[in-house]
Amino acid sequence: MTEGEQRNQWNSTYSSKPNFFGAEPSDLAIRAVDIFRKNGCRKVLELGCGQGRDTCLFAKEGFQVIALDYSESGICQMREKAKEMCMDKNVECVCQDLRAGIPLPDGSVDAVYSHMLFTMELWEKEIQFILDECNRVLRPGGLNIYSVRNDHDPHFGKGPHKGEDMWQNPIGFVVHYFSEEKIKRLSKGYEIVHVREFDDPSKPFTKKLYEVLLRKP
Ligand SMILES: C[S@@+](CC[C@H](N)C(=O)[O-])C[C@H]1O[C@@H](n2cnc3c(N)ncnc32)[C@H](O)[C@@H]1O
């Protein structure tokens, strides 16, 4: 895997396809809004926001959002959407490779949210580092909600193998698949609230995912 190849692929995909995953928010984001409200979360950090379909929902629902992605194209589109919605005061967009860490102070957010970020081309030790960073920036009692493709997904084990549990899918993205055991292994420093399987029907094809809810003690 060449450094930067996947990032270039996200940039060119987002530049040519304005709503690659669809214009509507994901089902995970809709569930997350409810969870944030019940737990008194107001400031949300979204990792791997892409073109911002879920960021827009969080901003519309009144949350203060910091949206981060390493794709300049995704971040620019997100910034434009926030301006068009007159929500640019509620949304801060940051272009950053998460392997370099999260540029926020300790204990500064109520919740971290990521839909299909950890399931990208990241080695397990990089995922552990990012999850530790999430733990650092969360306040005590803060939540980390994330989703990952799982080992029941129709693409699991198919296509060119890229190391660990990663395979390249038919449209060229490298996908990291998770078992429940891997999720438990990566949850050091958190309380696991739940791990649930769900189907994500959003474009370009239906995926099998785990929804993971973690709490910082
Ligand atoms: C499967 S997409 C999901 C996008 C968005 N969450 C959604 O559901 O619409 C994964 C996103 O993670 C971003 N990403 C992948 N690796 C990253 C990294 N190392 N640092 C920051 N962003 C990354 C990609 O640019 C892409 O936007």
Side-chain angles (χ1 to χ4, degrees), residues 109-161:
V109 299
D110 299 314
V112 181
Y113 170 88
S114 59
H115 188 23
M116 299 188 290
L117 175 268
F118 295 118
T119 206
M120 301 318 310
E121 186 202 35
L122 293 165
W123 297 103
E124 188 168 331
K125 66 173 183 331
E126 294 173 327
I127 298 167
Q128 185 69 72
F129 169 72
I130 301 168
L131 280 166
D132 290 348
E133 277 289 276
C134 295
N135 197 310
R136 180 185 65 74
V137 303
L138 277 170
R139 63 153 162 86
L143 302 177
N144 187 346
I145 304 178
Y146 73 83
S147 73
V148 280
R149 303 272 292 271
N150 70 35
D151 47 2
H152 308 140
D153 188 282
H155 288 156
F156 172 73
K158 308 236 171 82
H161 185 225

Side-chain angles (χ1 to χ4, degrees), residues 10 14 21 48 50 53 69-70 96-98 115-117 120:
W10 281 114
Y14 289 155
F21 290 106
R53 59 180 174 146
D69 202 289
Y70 73 175
Q96 164 105 2
D97 189 329
L98 284 156
H115 188 23
M116 299 188 290
L117 175 268
M120 301 318 310

Side-chain angles (χ1 to χ4, degrees), residues 82-98:
K83 265 193 212 142
E84 279 162 25
M85 289 169 19
C86 299
M87 293 278 180
D88 37 335
K89 286 198 177 58
N90 298 34
V91 183
E92 187 187 336
C93 302
V94 183
C95 190
Q96 164 105 2
D97 189 329
L98 284 156

